[in-house]
Amino acid sequence: MKMKCFDYATLPKEQWSEGRGETRDIVCWPVADDFAWRACFTTIHQSGVLAQYSDIERSIVL
């Protein structure tokens, strides 16, 4: 596998539906809305309850 470098500032930003944060995907496989796994940067603008999805397991690293 070939490693690819990226620039944080160029990663597409996706706002959360409730507007309390945003996500920038680093990698997603497969590239689709129904991904099997992904890694992303998340910026939280306002505290609150994290939405629950029965089919998604989250691991959060600070």
Side-chain angles (χ1 to χ4, degrees):
M1 178 192 288
K2 201 173 192 179
M3 186 176 287
K4 181 181 176 184
C5 294
F6 62 88
D7 179 359
Y8 175 82
T10 65
L11 295 174
K13 231 188 310 190
E14 184 176 330
Q15 293 291 328
W16 295 355
S17 59
E18 61 277 356
R20 291 189 300 228
E22 63 191 30
T23 299
R24 295 176 190 242
D25 281 356
I26 302 167
V27 63
C28 181
W29 184 88
V31 180
D33 288 337
D34 60 343
F35 57 85
W37 65 269
R38 76 177 185 166
C40 58
F41 290 108
T42 299
T43 303
I44 300 170
H45 301 299
Q46 181 182 12
S47 64
V49 178
L50 191 60
Q52 299 294 312
Y53 301 98
S54 59
D55 55 341
I56 294 178
E57 178 184 333
R58 289 187 173 118
S59 295
I60 300 172
V61 179
L62 298 176

